[in-house]
Amino acid sequence: MDKKDFYIAYKNWGFDDVYMNLLYSYIRGWKGECYASNDLLSRVLGCSVMTIQRKLKELEDDGYIYRNFTKNNRVRYMGITKKRLKKTHNK
């Protein structure tokens, strides 16, 4: 699989980390639930699987995404929750 086969409609959602913005944009781009593996996400975003795991956990812990796991603890699917980011205004 080649990176050119994928694209992400990137939007700055207000996260301080570019990978969190990219992951959130990618997951939101799915109509419904996202079935992409951590390996695929790491190849598409050009970072390590460990980075993907950490950022997905942060998004989940903060309530922005949900993940459903199989019995062997692998992610079956994930999606966006109804929690919205608060917009910050610099003064």
Side-chain angles (χ1 to χ4, degrees):
M1 198 172 317
D2 196 313
K3 278 188 187 179
K4 67 182 178 187
D5 295 332
F6 299 92
Y7 72 93
I8 297 173
Y10 178 81
K11 180 176 178 179
N12 184 343
W13 294 98
F15 296 109
D16 292 335
D17 184 274
V18 68
Y19 289 116
M20 288 179 74
N21 279 304
L22 285 166
L23 282 169
Y24 195 74
S25 293
Y26 185 87
I27 296 166
R28 282 189 67 94
W30 283 71
K31 302 288 185 205
E33 290 153 340
C34 175
Y35 296 89
S37 68
N38 291 350
D39 183 56
L40 173 65
L41 291 170
S42 75
R43 287 184 279 138
V44 170
L45 301 183
C47 62
S48 70
V49 171
M50 185 62 85
T51 296
I52 296 296
Q53 290 170 342
R54 279 194 319 268
K55 299 308 175 184
L56 287 175
K57 181 164 178 16
E58 286 179 49
L59 286 169
E60 183 180 35
D61 288 350
D62 291 343
Y64 295 106
I65 67 168
Y66 63 87
R67 296 187 289 173
N68 186 337
F69 294 89
T70 62
K71 289 181 184 176
N72 62 356
N73 221 19
R74 294 177 57 112
V75 175
R76 175 177 276 164
Y77 59 84
M78 58 192 151
I80 299 299
T81 65
K82 295 195 184 311
K83 183 174 181 177
R84 300 284 184 237
L85 290 168
K86 294 179 184 174
K87 297 199 181 227
T88 57
H89 301 283
N90 295 332
K91 293 185 180 183

